[in-house]
Amino acid sequence: MSQRFIVTKEHRRFTEFADAVRRGHTIGLCFGSAGVGKTLSARRYAHYEKAHDLLTYWGPRSDNDAKIYAALDRSRTVLYTPSVLTTPRTLKDELTQAITRTNMCIEQHLVPPGTATPEAWGWRHGRNYVELIIVDEAERLRPAALELLRDRYDRDDIALILIGMPGLEKQFSHYPQFYSRVGFAHQYRPLGQDELLFVLERHWRSLGKTLDPDDFTDAQAIAAIARITRGNFRLLERLFPQIQRVLKINELDTITNDVIEAAQSTLVIGVT
């Protein structure tokens, strides 16, 4: 991520949910409105930002890769996002590749090269270290792809989390063979008032300012942002660059209700 990750209560709840699914070797469904932070939490949990380039491009190794190996060993998780036109065959191949590469990285951490004979390398003899697969944008999955995931879950005993929009749990209820294996369902909610204040304090601080909820101007600004974003994390992250832009263009020092309204006018905001 280009910016520092903010650990919210919803992220902690997601982590607890993912840990429970992983420990229970079951299937979990995570659903919530667009932009509330589901994907960010999944990426954080799987150490996706650290490992993405290595697992995707699979190029020459460097000494810095040891940190990635250690992170993957801690998470034991693969994050996969199907494309809009992903076929079951493509899903199978891409998921197998991601799991294989993750296993190789974990093995590099557990048994560094030169410390064991080739016969001791677990992944070459069918050993699997991955304990959890997280599939984002799960609405894109076709029935055959769901059946493929169910089969992998049954055969390999790897826990599975599917992430999507509200209604995901109802969508999958039409597939009884799959749905009967679901052990947990988790709703990812927007930011509450206390969390919103916490996030806003960080944004104010990043602009070199101090947020005071007891100050009338700041209180108005907080109320305006709460009304515009309704606790939607992505919308909040989109709004603040525009606020910064309005302040700079107009040579202003204070974030007021008018500044926020001007920033909002530059955004295309759908239903949150």
Side-chain angles (χ1 to χ4, degrees):
M1 297 170 199
S2 59
Q3 57 192 1
R4 188 174 180 181
F5 185 84
I6 300 176
V7 178
T8 63
K9 182 171 66 176
E10 281 304 310
H11 173 70
R12 292 188 185 279
R13 291 181 67 239
F14 177 87
T15 299
E16 292 170 359
F17 158 72
D19 285 343
V21 171
R22 184 174 152 190
R23 285 194 305 268
H25 298 283
T26 186
I27 296 177
L29 303 180
C30 175
F31 54 92
S33 301
V36 293
K38 305 183 299 296
T39 298
L40 289 177
S41 285
R43 289 184 172 193
R44 176 78 168 188
Y45 188 87
H47 296 286
Y48 177 85
E49 301 299 333
K50 288 183 180 179
H52 172 262
D53 288 350
L54 175 62
L55 294 177
T56 301
Y57 304 114
W58 207 240
R61 297 295 181 266
S62 70
D63 293 338
N64 293 330
D65 291 341
K67 296 179 180 178
I68 301 175
Y69 302 154
L72 291 173
D73 178 56
R74 290 194 300 272
S75 72
R76 303 284 177 110
T77 299
V78 166
L79 175 63
Y80 176 76
T81 304
S83 67
V84 176
L85 299 178
T86 293
T87 63
R89 178 59 181 268
T90 301
L91 183 146
K92 178 178 181 294
D93 292 344
E94 291 179 345
L95 203 52
T96 297
Q97 181 186 77
I99 291 172
T100 300
R101 290 180 175 181
T102 301
N103 276 326
M104 293 172 69
C105 290
I106 294 173
E107 186 88 34
Q108 288 271 11
H109 174 72
L110 297 176
V111 188
T115 63
T117 62
E119 290 75 15
W121 287 72
W123 67 269
R124 294 182 182 177
H125 297 276
R127 181 171 181 180
N128 174 60
Y129 297 102
V130 173
E131 299 174 355
L132 175 64
I133 298 170
I134 300 177
V135 180
D136 198 9
E137 306 285 358
E139 297 93 342
R140 297 174 178 175
L141 297 175
R142 303 176 185 180
L146 277 178
E147 183 63 20
L148 187 150
L149 288 174
R150 182 184 71 84
D151 182 68
R152 180 180 284 276
Y153 166 77
D154 288 342
R155 291 175 183 272
D156 299 339
D157 196 30
I158 301 178
L160 176 66
I161 290 177
L162 302 182
I163 297 177
M165 295 287 286
L168 182 74
E169 72 285 8
K170 297 178 182 177
Q171 174 185 340
F172 290 151
S173 67
H174 298 298
Y175 307 103
Q177 286 277 59
F178 182 90
Y179 198 69
S180 64
R181 289 163 170 77
V182 174
F184 296 95
H186 172 70
Q187 181 179 3
Y188 204 111
R189 300 184 178 91
L191 296 172
Q193 184 65 22
D194 291 343
E195 287 183 297
L196 181 62
L197 282 175
F198 174 74
V199 174
L200 291 181
E201 285 174 355
R202 296 175 70 102
H203 279 294
W204 250 255
R205 199 157 53 240
S206 70
L207 297 176
K209 307 179 188 306
T210 301
L211 179 65
D212 181 6
D214 294 326
D215 179 86
F216 179 75
T217 300
D218 285 356
Q220 273 194 321
I222 293 169
I225 292 173
R227 173 177 52 80
I228 293 168
T229 65
R230 299 181 184 178
N232 187 286
F233 195 85
R234 183 187 298 159
L235 187 52
L236 190 63
E237 296 300 303
R238 289 174 54 209
L239 180 64
F240 259 86
Q242 299 305 320
I243 290 175
Q244 188 174 12
R245 174 175 167 273
V246 171
L247 289 173
K248 183 177 180 180
I249 290 175
N250 294 280
E251 299 181 351
L252 300 173
D253 292 324
T254 305
I255 301 176
T256 64
N257 185 60
D258 290 338
V259 169
I260 293 168
E261 295 290 345
Q264 178 196 9
S265 68
T266 66
L267 297 177
V268 177
I269 300 175
V271 177
T272 60

